[in-house]
């Protein structure tokens, strides 16, 4: 499968002053597979060490953290010589905090070593690092599930991908037949999601969602729940993490989807559950979209971190957790999760482009789903799950704030009227990538 993160790896490799790379991402987004593919195709010599499966390698980081000493010890365990031409990939590096610390010394070494670290819970380890984290000595890059562009390419739909990108730039409607085809694939993506194993199953079943093995989602959920009991400060924290995660789908389904601690369970509060939510965000299992007090640059300066919406890392996982069927994804269907799934999808597309996301709700009568800081300025984004055009909030926002333009994401075709740009939901991945 084509993964855009492959270019991130290539850019890292081509840097003149290359720091060790840490790849952060949720379990099963494809980190290990892609990094090993990159190493095979790029280097004559590389070594993969998995600190979860090969625990004996943890000991090489327990003594002197000098780069040469570590490499000599690895040579003895691996039974082979390692030169500076050998790229070393340390998978599940979060198993050893000292292994992460050692990256500082690899960065400062006289010889230029290529070191890549990755792990499914690496983000949690970084957030809770107890000793000396190598600040400024590593490059941290995030990898996400497949976005809709990558999904199209995995399905062999490169011409359709190119047509969507061109229509987004020109703001000209696609032919109706092409538009309907793109919508069908978009509905399939809502069901399948962007986890590589699920996308592969979809393709193997000739793009027939009814033939897919739904137990794959159950297995993934089991793996995620198992992770929630690891790298916690106590068994009680693991329980809280699980409860917070389980509450996200039902909180998103509410008319006001702002995350509320009291919705987790009776008498729950921020003091007891904020750490669990932070764990989930660090692990990459959820995304947080904070509220803005004012839609002015710099947006981060007007962020209200206590008011936020929480989304799951992948729309397919949300769909499965909500118990939705393929019929529930269609245009004319209505259910309490339809809007939540659509919003989660859009957030997932934009997060995968490393966009900072905010929402704006200055009063009960006005709410803008997303506010983006794009090259053209501060842009409001409205998300519609179907083809409804009505929006009092967006109209009032535009009159008051005079943005350069506004975006309305729905199942309608491309177009623009008086600065309001209609963008089909299947083109959400295009937003903000015009200059990339």
């Amino acid at each position: 499968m084509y993964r855009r993160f492959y270019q991130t790896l290539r850019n890292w490799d081509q840097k003149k002053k290359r720091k060790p790379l840490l790849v952060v991402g949720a379990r099963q987004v494809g980190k290990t597979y892609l990094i090993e593919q990159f190493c095979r195709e790029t280097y004559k010599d590389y070594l993969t060490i998995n600190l979860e499966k090969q625990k004996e390698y943890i000991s090489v980081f327990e003594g002197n953290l000098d780069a040469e000493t570590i490499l000599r010890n690895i040579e003895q365990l691996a039974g082979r010589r390692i030169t500076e031409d050998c790229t070393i990939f340390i998978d599940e590096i979060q198993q050893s905090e000292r292994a992460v610390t050692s990256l500082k010394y690899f960065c400062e070494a006289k010889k230029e070593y290529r070191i890549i670290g990755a792990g499914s819970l690496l983000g949690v380890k970084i957030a809770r690092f107890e000793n000396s984290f190598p600040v400024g000595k590593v490059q941290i890059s995030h990898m996400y599930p497949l976005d809709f562009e990558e999904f199209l390419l995995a399905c062999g739909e490169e011409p359709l991908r190119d047509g969507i990108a061109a229509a987004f730039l020109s703001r000209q409607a696609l032919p109706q037949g092409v538009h309907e085809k793109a919508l069908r694939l978009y509905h399939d993506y809502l069901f399948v999601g962007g986890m590589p194993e699920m996308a592969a199953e979809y393709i193997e079943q000739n793009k027939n969602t009814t033939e897919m093995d739904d137990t794959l989602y159950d297995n993934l959920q089991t793996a995620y729940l198992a992770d929630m009991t690891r790298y916690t400060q106590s068994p009680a924290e693991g329980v809280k993490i699980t409860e917070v995660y389980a509450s996200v789908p039902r909180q998103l389904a509410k008319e006001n989807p702002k995350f509320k601690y009291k919705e987790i369970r009776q008498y729950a509060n921020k003091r007891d559950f904020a750490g669990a939510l932070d764990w989930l965000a660090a692990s990459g299992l959820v995304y947080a979209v904070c509220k803005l007090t004012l839609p002015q640059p710099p947006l981060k300066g007007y962020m209200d971190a206590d008011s936020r919406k929480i989304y799951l890392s992948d729309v397919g996982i949300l769909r499965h957790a909500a118990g939705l069927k393929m019929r529930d994804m269609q245009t004319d269907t209505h259910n309490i999760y339809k809007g939540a799934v659509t919003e989660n999808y859009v957030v997932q597309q934009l997060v995968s482009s490393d966009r900072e996301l905010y929402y704006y709700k200055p009063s009960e009568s006005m709410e803008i789903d997303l506010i983006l800081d794009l090259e053209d300025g501060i842009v409001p984004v409205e998300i519609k799950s179907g083809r409804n055009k009505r929006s009092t909030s967006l109209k009032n926002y535009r009159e008051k704030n005079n943005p350069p333009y506004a975006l309305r994401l729905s199942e309608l075709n491309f177009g623009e009227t008086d600065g309001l740009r209609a963008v089909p939901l299947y083109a959400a991945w295009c937003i903000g990538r015009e200059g990339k």
Side-chain angles (χ1 to χ4, degrees):
M1 292 181 184
Y2 165 81
R3 299 305 306 271
R4 197 168 60 256
F5 194 82
Y6 195 95
Q7 187 60 45
T8 300
L9 295 170
R10 184 175 293 160
N11 292 342
W12 167 78
D13 177 65
Q14 294 173 352
K15 287 183 176 179
K16 291 183 178 180
K17 295 184 178 180
R18 181 178 49 242
K19 300 175 183 178
L21 176 66
L22 284 178
V23 180
V24 179
R27 179 177 293 279
Q28 295 189 26
V29 298
K31 299 184 298 299
T32 300
Y33 182 91
L34 190 71
I35 293 169
E36 291 197 324
Q37 177 190 355
F38 175 76
C39 289
R40 283 196 306 272
E41 296 174 354
T42 307
Y43 308 121
K44 292 181 178 180
D45 187 19
Y46 76 95
L47 173 67
T48 296
I49 300 169
N50 187 308
L51 295 187
E52 186 170 77
K53 297 178 180 177
Q54 300 167 289
K55 294 187 182 297
E56 64 272 19
Y57 279 91
I58 293 177
S59 64
V60 307
F61 302 101
E62 292 174 353
N64 190 331
L65 290 182
D66 172 73
E68 296 292 338
T69 300
I70 291 173
L71 291 178
R72 282 198 300 271
N73 290 332
I74 289 177
E75 283 182 335
Q76 294 174 64
L77 274 175
R80 51 156 296 182
R81 293 296 180 190
I82 296 175
T83 69
E84 60 186 302
D85 293 325
C86 177
T87 299
I88 299 178
F89 169 34
I90 308 174
D91 202 7
E92 303 298 347
I93 192 173
Q94 79 283 346
Q95 292 283 341
S96 169
E97 191 164 295
R98 286 182 61 81
V100 178
T101 300
S102 74
L103 300 182
K104 171 185 176 182
Y105 302 98
F106 278 104
C107 180
E108 295 174 346
K110 292 181 180 180
K111 294 181 180 180
E112 190 173 345
Y113 296 106
R114 288 186 298 266
I115 310 293
I116 303 173
S120 55
L121 292 175
L122 179 56
V124 174
K125 173 58 73 175
I126 291 173
R128 297 185 171 186
F129 214 78
E130 294 181 0
N131 295 309
S132 177
F133 184 78
V135 178
K137 303 297 183 179
V138 296
Q139 175 183 324
I140 300 175
S141 296
H142 294 262
M143 186 172 173
Y144 303 98
L146 281 77
D147 64 13
F148 188 63
E149 177 195 21
E150 293 171 315
F151 180 77
L152 287 175
L153 293 174
C155 293
E157 297 288 352
E158 184 174 353
L160 179 58
R161 185 279 305 265
D162 293 344
I164 291 171
F168 178 83
L169 291 174
S170 67
R171 299 191 283 281
Q172 298 297 313
L174 288 170
Q176 189 60 25
V178 177
H179 174 68
E180 294 296 336
K181 176 183 177 179
L183 282 179
R184 287 195 298 272
L185 286 165
Y186 156 71
H187 292 144
D188 283 0
Y189 179 87
L190 293 184
F191 183 90
V192 176
M195 302 303 285
E197 185 179 16
M198 313 311 173
E201 170 72 3
Y202 169 75
I203 294 166
E204 187 175 328
Q205 300 302 329
N206 297 314
K207 305 176 189 177
N208 185 347
T209 57
T210 61
E211 296 297 322
M212 291 183 63
D213 181 5
D214 221 35
T215 62
L216 293 175
Y217 298 94
D218 296 325
N219 296 338
L220 179 62
Q221 185 179 37
T222 299
Y224 278 179
L225 292 175
D227 279 349
M228 291 173 197
T229 64
R230 305 168 69 189
Y231 302 106
T232 56
Q233 296 168 343
S234 68
E237 186 188 25
V239 173
K240 290 177 181 178
I241 292 169
T242 303
E243 288 182 298
V244 172
Y245 190 73
S247 80
V248 173
R250 65 174 182 267
Q251 293 211 42
L252 283 175
K254 292 184 177 297
E255 186 174 349
N256 177 9
K258 173 189 170 183
F259 184 82
K260 298 176 181 177
Y261 289 100
K262 66 180 182 180
E263 297 291 342
I264 299 171
R265 63 167 143 102
Q266 192 175 19
Y267 307 123
N269 55 53
K270 179 181 178 181
R271 183 185 66 252
D272 292 335
F273 284 88
L277 182 55
D278 290 342
W279 189 100
L280 287 167
S283 71
L285 294 182
V286 303
Y287 307 134
V289 177
C290 293
K291 180 181 176 181
L292 285 178
T293 55
L294 277 177
Q296 297 179 4
L299 295 181
K300 188 170 288 187
Y302 297 97
M303 178 180 70
D304 179 2
D306 290 329
S307 297
R308 49 189 172 176
K309 299 178 184 178
I310 304 298
Y311 299 89
L312 294 190
S313 60
D314 179 67
V315 69
I317 295 174
L318 174 61
R319 188 280 308 168
H320 182 69
L324 299 174
K325 305 299 183 184
M326 187 61 205
R327 64 175 181 268
D328 302 314
M329 304 292 104
Q330 304 308 309
T331 301
D332 298 325
T333 58
H334 300 281
N335 57 72
I336 62 171
Y337 282 105
K338 187 71 178 291
V341 168
T342 306
E343 278 195 32
N344 205 116
Y345 158 81
V346 174
V347 167
Q348 181 179 342
Q349 306 311 296
L350 297 175
V351 165
S352 69
S353 295
D354 293 319
R355 286 283 160 197
E356 291 185 355
L357 306 180
Y358 305 92
Y359 75 98
Y360 183 54
K361 188 174 183 179
S363 67
E364 290 300 319
S365 60
M366 179 191 292
E367 180 171 358
I368 304 300
D369 296 318
L370 292 174
I371 300 288
L372 302 178
D373 188 354
L374 302 178
E375 291 297 323
D376 302 321
I378 306 301
V379 175
V381 179
E382 180 181 65
I383 304 169
K384 296 286 189 182
S385 60
R387 307 190 185 194
N388 179 16
K389 295 182 180 180
R390 299 177 62 183
S391 175
T392 303
S393 288
L394 188 59
K395 178 177 179 294
N396 292 341
Y397 177 93
R398 296 180 67 200
E399 291 175 351
K400 182 177 181 180
N401 295 281
N402 193 31
Y405 58 89
L407 297 174
R408 176 182 287 146
L409 292 167
S410 71
E411 295 196 3
L412 294 172
N413 212 324
F414 291 99
E416 181 173 9
T417 304
D418 298 327
L420 177 59
R421 299 182 183 179
V423 177
L425 285 158
Y426 55 71
W429 59 270
C430 298
I431 297 172
R433 292 197 200 168
E434 295 91 329
K436 296 186 178 181

